[in-house]
Amino acid sequence: MTKYKIAAVSLNTTPLDFHGNFENIRSAIQSPDSRDANIILFPELCISGYGCEDAFYRPSLWEKAAEILDKIKIISPNQVVVVGLPVFVESYLYNCMAVLSHGKVQAIVPKLNLANTGVHYERRWFHSPQSFQNKTISLNKQKVPFGNFIFLDQSIRFAIEICEDSWSALKPSQFYNLSGVDVLLSPSASHFALGKQKIRRQIFAETSRNQNNLQVFTNLCGNESGRIIFEGGAFFASCGNLVSEGQRLHFTPYAITTHSFHPSEIRAAKARNLREPHPKTNSEEVPTITLGEVIPSEKSDQTRLLVLDKREETNSKSLPTTIDLSTFEEFTKAVCLGLFDYLRKSKTKGYTLSLSGGADSATCAILVSTFVTIAKEENGEGILSKLGWNEKNLLVTLYQKTKNNSPITEEIAKTLSVELDCEFHSISIDEIVSSSVSLIESVKGINLNWKEHDLALQNIQARVRSPLIWLLANLNGHLLLSTGNRSEAAVGYTTMDGDSSGSIAPLAGVSKEFLLDWLDDIQKGNNRYITPKHSIQMLRNTKPTAELKPLAEHQEDEKDLMPYSILNSIEHKIVFLAMTEMDVLDGLSKEFPWESKEQLFGYIQKFKKLFGISQWKRERLPPSFHLDEYGLDPKSSYRFPILSNET
């Protein structure tokens, strides 16, 4: 029996970039990897981009997406191409996949379950049908079936469920499967989170085992619209086994993963294992659309009848092809990809960074340097010049010292810059700080001192640094990196319009504890993307400190706040798990038995107070990447009132 081949395309899209998205889609269809595939599957909303936000309300967006669909349908008529776009039907806007074949739009399939938790707000823009649909609509002046169908191509029966449909408790595929579907296509826009790919594998492998079919998952990849990073990683799961997996977090415009199989393999598993479920659910029969015969073509490499023998050969991608990344490597690759795409899509020349000699700014510098290396490895040495970037000027750092800075932090900053081979400058801002303080002293008629005016004297140093680093960034034509982490955002441990300034906050999605562990993991030689560094070793021999108080006071972050491990645990329990104070205290007592309950309860009270009064700060922080199972970015992750009883 002839093998059937499916190509799953992981695509890097940009919202509202119809031309750019179309060119990537066309290139992927014409790629040698997908040229002899029977089905080419693209991710959800790949024509318009997933993150169009309220631009989805524009009729011009739907119309442009439909125009692009008309261009795609004729690129390779002898293949089934499945692409995503928004479609307006009657009074509602739907998130849909279009099935293209024989130069026609064969059907439009709407998403049934809309993602509306965490970073997703699809119900703001899209309507979800309450039941399976089967109607005819007009699209580009053509009559097209709209609804939920089983598609018959040659001898293969396939159906489509879009992203959240595959994660739902009651999956549409449960009904499709009882009608003899061999292949379930799951096009997605599934965001990156540490460890999430393992969950995807588990879900699809188990569903393929339960339904005795082939599950095909494909995903967007890259920093699509600023905050959310998609990780690619298309894969095939057959009858309980992961049989092929593509590249994750790739820096290329697209990556193609293929799998060839005999339909008899699927059907034998069904005959052996599938039994009619009881009790029966009430569901109307799902209609079938037959896609038809092959269109004759002069291009032999696109005619299925001439390439079938190639698919009789051993499938070279019959096993997973990617190497599992550790949690710290996932973080590395995801943030590097996020920074690369943010710079590329904003059409900016580089990043400027206020390098303090601390862990956060050092991490930012290392990640910028690392994304350059990965980008060249995956796209070729010429990628930087193609994008109009000067590698020597891609990262510019500035150390802004005061009398409260220790010599060791400047040495760390300088050493790191040498190790990364990036532009480094050091200036003293004492004179500007003194001038600012003197001006306000003349206004208030008082002399500021550390006993009475501690916070104001700390903050003015951070605020003086902000306009200087912004000036340097503007002169460079750069974006300014903000170095804050999630722990600082939770308790407001940042100076507004000071160290909080920036264009993007790449680390705000993870805790300080995680970042310190990440640096330690590098020094152990465990990170395949980053080599150990002398500057990191120097840094880890110092205590995290803001260096805003006189050196004699030995300021440390954990003295100002609490141990980062405890802060991280409290934050996770209160913000993510929504636990009560007493439950949090009980959990902390078991995690940190060396701390008294009184001390732990004091930490909880301090966290709750600081978290409540800091929401206005979080509202004003730069956009951040979503990286963990939860985040604090009010736009994409965690919404909390600015004013409340906890303020």
Side-chain angles (χ1 to χ4, degrees):
M1 181 179 288
T2 300
K3 280 191 173 183
Y4 194 87
K5 180 176 178 179
I6 299 176
V9 182
S10 171
L11 198 71
N12 191 313
T13 59
T14 302
L16 309 177
D17 183 10
F18 293 98
H19 175 73
N21 295 342
F22 169 71
E23 288 300 324
N24 286 342
I25 291 169
R26 179 167 64 179
S27 296
I29 292 173
Q30 296 175 340
S31 167
D33 289 330
S34 57
R35 195 171 296 159
D36 62 335
N38 298 83
I39 296 176
I40 306 174
L41 176 65
F42 286 90
E44 177 181 12
L45 292 173
C46 59
I47 292 178
S48 62
Y50 179 83
C52 294
E53 304 275 340
D54 285 356
F56 277 126
Y57 295 138
R58 301 176 186 173
S60 60
L61 184 149
W62 325 326
E63 294 163 3
K64 188 65 177 177
E67 291 174 12
I68 297 297
L69 189 66
D70 261 357
K71 293 182 179 181
I72 297 172
K73 72 183 183 183
I74 60 175
I75 295 174
S76 186
N78 287 328
Q79 295 173 292
V80 178
V81 178
V82 184
V83 291
L85 75 164
V87 179
F88 187 75
V89 177
E90 296 169 349
S91 297
Y92 300 107
L93 184 65
Y94 294 86
N95 178 347
C96 300
M97 297 301 296
V99 178
L100 314 178
S101 178
H102 302 88
K104 294 174 56 179
V105 179
Q106 299 286 346
I108 299 291
V109 179
K111 188 172 184 176
L112 290 164
N113 296 278
L114 298 179
N116 213 58
T117 58
V119 300
H120 299 286
Y121 300 95
E122 290 182 10
R123 290 181 188 171
R124 179 177 176 88
W125 307 294
F126 300 113
H127 177 70
S128 57
Q130 297 300 304
S131 60
F132 284 160
Q133 301 292 296
N134 182 10
K135 64 178 73 171
T136 300
I137 65 170
S138 178
L139 184 69
N140 291 338
K141 299 180 181 180
Q142 297 178 1
K143 297 298 182 182
V144 178
F146 176 90
N148 306 92
F149 308 104
I150 291 171
F151 299 90
L152 179 62
D153 181 55
Q154 298 184 46
S155 62
I156 294 295
R157 296 167 70 86
F158 71 87
I160 301 167
E161 58 182 17
I162 307 170
C163 199
E164 186 70 13
D165 289 338
S166 296
W167 295 68
S168 174
L170 187 61
K171 307 176 195 297
S173 59
Q174 293 174 240
F175 301 105
Y176 302 147
N177 190 53
L178 296 178
S179 298
V181 164
D182 304 296
V183 177
L184 194 284
L185 306 180
S186 182
S188 299
S190 184
H191 68 275
F192 170 83
L194 295 169
K196 190 176 179 184
Q197 184 75 346
K198 293 179 181 178
I199 298 173
R200 294 191 192 96
R201 294 169 185 154
Q202 291 170 359
I203 290 174
F204 284 92
E206 173 56 25
T207 302
S208 73
R209 184 206 64 79
N210 182 269
Q211 297 181 3
N212 295 279
N213 59 17
L214 176 68
Q215 301 262 325
V216 185
F217 166 83
T218 197
N219 197 10
L220 295 175
C221 187
N223 179 357
E224 198 219 29
S225 58
R227 286 178 164 86
I228 299 174
I229 296 169
F230 297 102
E231 64 184 295
F235 58 73
F236 295 76
S238 180
C239 300
N241 298 305
L242 190 69
V243 293
S244 185
E245 182 171 4
Q247 188 177 3
R248 296 173 59 203
L249 298 163
H250 55 84
F251 281 51
T252 52
Y254 59 85
I256 300 173
T257 307
T258 65
H259 178 66
S260 299
F261 65 99
H262 286 294
S264 58
E265 299 169 1
I266 303 295
R267 291 163 189 168
K270 282 184 181 292
R272 183 181 305 109
N273 301 313
L274 192 64
R275 299 294 179 263
E276 185 179 13
H278 294 96
K280 293 183 178 180
T281 57
N282 294 323
S283 175
E284 57 190 82
E285 184 178 352
V286 182
T288 298
I289 294 178
T290 301
L291 299 181
E293 299 299 325
V294 174
I295 296 176
S297 171
E298 295 180 1
K299 297 182 179 180
S300 61
D301 59 356
Q302 290 189 4
T303 303
R304 292 182 192 167
L305 296 177
L306 299 182
V307 297
L308 294 179
D309 289 344
K310 293 173 64 177
R311 290 195 290 276
E312 292 294 347
E313 299 171 3
T314 302
N315 180 20
S316 61
K317 295 187 178 180
S318 60
L319 294 174
T321 57
T322 55
I323 300 173
D324 273 341
L325 303 177
S326 70
T327 299
F328 296 124
E329 288 172 327
E330 280 190 336
F331 168 79
T332 303
K333 193 82 184 288
V335 179
C336 284
L337 178 56
L339 289 168
F340 172 73
D341 270 354
Y342 204 96
L343 197 64
R344 180 174 63 87
K345 295 179 181 182
S346 65
K347 299 177 175 62
T348 317
K349 297 179 180 179
Y351 289 110
T352 293
L353 170 66
S354 188
L355 195 58
S356 68
D360 299 333
S361 63
T363 297
C364 287
I366 292 168
L367 290 169
V368 172
S369 176
T370 304
F371 94 59
V372 173
T373 302
I374 298 174
K376 291 194 294 185
E377 286 177 353
E378 295 193 13
N379 293 284
E381 287 289 332
I383 184 63
L384 300 186
S385 58
K386 182 179 178 181
L387 293 169
W389 296 347
N390 178 357
E391 184 172 354
K392 289 295 183 182
N393 186 247
L394 200 59
L395 174 63
V396 175
T397 63
L398 178 67
Y399 182 84
Q400 302 182 74
K401 58 188 172 185
T402 71
K403 57 188 177 183
N404 297 325
N405 289 108
S406 63
I408 185 62
T409 54
E410 182 174 12
E411 185 181 352
I412 292 170
K414 185 175 182 179
T415 302
L416 178 61
S417 296
V418 171
E419 291 175 321
L420 300 181
D421 192 24
C422 67
E423 188 175 324
F424 173 76
H425 305 280
S426 178
I427 60 173
S428 172
I429 62 169
D430 279 324
E431 185 177 344
I432 307 174
V433 172
S434 297
S435 176
S436 301
V437 170
S438 296
L439 286 171
I440 296 304
E441 285 178 333
S442 68
V443 170
K444 296 291 290 182
I446 59 174
N447 292 319
L448 302 186
N449 62 80
W450 283 101
K451 183 177 181 179
E452 298 175 276
H453 313 110
D454 178 282
L455 186 60
L457 289 173
Q458 287 193 66
N459 285 341
I460 188 57
Q461 296 167 72
R463 290 197 173 103
V464 161
R465 291 184 172 112
S466 179
L468 296 174
I469 195 66
W470 268 120
L471 176 59
L472 183 59
N474 290 162
L475 291 172
N476 293 330
H478 281 189
L479 297 173
L480 176 61
L481 288 173
S482 178
T483 62
N485 57 68
R486 192 179 69 204
S487 301
E488 293 172 348
V491 293
Y493 196 62
T494 185
T495 301
M496 296 313 298
D497 305 312
D499 57 310
S500 65
S501 299
S503 311
I504 181 73
L507 309 183
V510 291
S511 69
K512 181 76 167 194
E513 183 183 27
F514 178 91
L515 293 174
L516 296 176
D517 289 343
W518 178 78
L519 290 170
D520 291 341
D521 190 65
I522 291 172
Q523 292 307 96
K524 293 174 184 176
N526 295 333
N527 195 311
R528 75 191 69 200
Y529 304 108
I530 306 169
T531 57
K533 299 183 180 350
H534 179 57
S535 56
I536 295 178
Q537 192 60 49
M538 295 165 62
L539 189 158
R540 292 301 287 127
N541 287 331
T542 65
K543 296 284 189 180
T545 173
E547 289 198 321
L548 295 174
K549 291 185 178 183
L551 290 172
E553 295 193 27
H554 302 290
Q555 183 182 23
E556 295 178 14
D557 293 357
E558 292 181 306
K559 288 180 180 178
D560 287 350
L561 299 169
M562 65 189 76
Y564 276 120
S565 57
I566 296 177
L567 192 159
N568 189 38
S569 182
I570 295 174
E571 176 199 296
H572 183 262
K573 289 175 171 60
I574 290 179
V575 177
F576 184 64
L577 300 179
M579 294 170 62
T580 65
E581 286 184 6
M582 290 300 102
D583 287 338
V584 174
L585 179 60
D586 184 56
L588 292 179
S589 297
K590 295 174 182 177
E591 287 180 66
F592 308 98
W594 55 88
E595 298 278 2
S596 68
K597 282 198 171 185
E598 292 74 18
Q599 181 68 66
L600 292 173
F601 188 71
Y603 288 148
I604 295 170
Q605 294 298 304
K606 185 174 186 177
F607 177 89
K608 288 192 66 176
K609 177 183 177 181
L610 292 174
F611 186 86
I613 65 176
S614 298
Q615 181 62 23
W616 72 275
K617 289 188 175 184
R618 291 189 288 274
E619 297 280 351
R620 293 188 56 217
L621 293 176
S624 63
F625 299 153
H626 184 87
L627 300 170
D628 207 349
E629 59 185 347
Y630 73 100
L632 297 179
D633 189 326
K635 179 70 186 299
S636 64
S637 300
Y638 189 81
R639 297 187 176 187
F640 192 81
I642 294 175
L643 299 176
S644 70
N645 191 49
E646 296 181 8
T647 302

